[in-house]
Amino acid sequence: MVFIHDTEMSLRAAAALVNTLPETDTSGRDRLETHADLDAYLATFSYTGAFRRDADELAAVRAIRPRLRALWSVDRNNAVPLVNAMLRDGHALPQLVIHDHFDWHIHATEPDAPLAMRILSESAMAFVDVIRSDAWDRVRLCAADDCESVYVDFSKNGSKLYCDTGNCGNRMNVNAYRRRKARESA
């Protein structure tokens, strides 16, 4: 499934933000506790506009994670009211913009909107595209039995099973190999 660049980047950013929640880490560690954690996230997923880099901004970004996580817990139809609420709460005002090395794309809010509002609104806009293109089956939880991370499957054939947060695919393949070997030697 191929989404336009800004949609794909917003979906990847939303999944990465959700995957900072403690319940998505096998150690139970929250990976968005400090300004350095937020800076690392923003270095990977660029957002334009104002940044306050204070405790309130960090708290606000941390607070939207469960709302985004909820999108991976529902089906397509039940995602619609969640996405609509995010758009309303984010005061979404979609507009075409061009800047830096990006061609025309959509920003969902004003550049001076708080960072958490920009993230929430742009994520919601990306999920609008997923819903409208009837690609909700690409919104997935990792299939590893010990992982609760989320991802969006961008593969051409829709066959991706594991998240990108660790080595889930390799670990599950090793486990399956070991089970096969144990059965063969039994």
Side-chain angles (χ1 to χ4, degrees):
M1 167 68 31
V2 177
F3 291 105
I4 194 150
H5 184 293
D6 56 325
T7 296
E8 182 176 334
M9 293 313 300
S10 291
L11 292 169
R12 288 184 188 279
L17 186 58
V18 167
N19 288 335
T20 64
L21 285 164
E23 58 266 27
T24 65
D25 189 281
T26 54
S27 70
R29 187 175 79 82
D30 189 324
R31 290 167 301 203
L32 188 63
E33 293 185 309
T34 67
H35 288 84
D37 295 337
L38 181 58
D39 287 343
Y41 171 79
L42 293 172
T44 303
F45 302 102
S46 60
Y47 286 87
T48 57
F51 297 94
R52 294 189 337 227
R53 292 199 166 26
D54 61 14
D56 289 340
E57 182 174 72
L58 177 60
V61 173
R62 288 172 47 88
I64 64 171
R65 296 180 302 171
R67 291 186 73 182
L68 293 171
R69 173 63 176 86
L71 291 168
W72 275 269
S73 304
V74 297
D75 62 18
R76 179 180 179 225
N77 291 338
N78 288 313
V80 171
L82 300 177
V83 169
N84 284 339
M86 290 176 190
L87 291 169
R88 274 192 309 278
D89 294 348
H91 306 287
L93 180 63
Q95 49 203 299
L96 285 168
V97 296
I98 190 169
H99 58 83
D100 302 325
H101 60 281
F102 299 109
D103 198 2
W104 289 107
H105 60 282
I106 294 177
H107 278 200
T109 61
E110 295 294 334
D112 60 346
L115 176 60
M117 187 179 292
R118 293 194 315 269
I119 293 171
L120 190 66
S121 297
E122 290 188 17
S123 298
M125 289 294 296
F127 278 100
V128 165
D129 286 350
V130 175
I131 292 167
R132 291 178 59 217
S133 63
D134 195 14
W136 198 259
D137 61 328
R138 301 294 186 120
V139 177
R140 299 187 182 157
L141 296 173
C142 183
D145 53 12
D146 61 346
C147 184
E148 295 294 320
S149 291
V150 302
Y151 68 98
V152 177
D153 181 359
F154 296 107
S155 69
K156 288 185 182 186
N157 64 1
S159 63
K160 185 173 173 149
L161 297 175
Y162 303 108
C163 69
D164 296 323
T165 62
N167 294 316
C168 292
N170 289 340
R171 192 174 63 255
M172 292 299 104
N173 288 333
V174 167
N175 290 347
Y177 172 79
R178 289 179 179 158
R179 283 192 302 273
R180 282 191 309 275
K181 286 298 184 186
R183 280 192 307 269
E184 290 172 5
S185 63

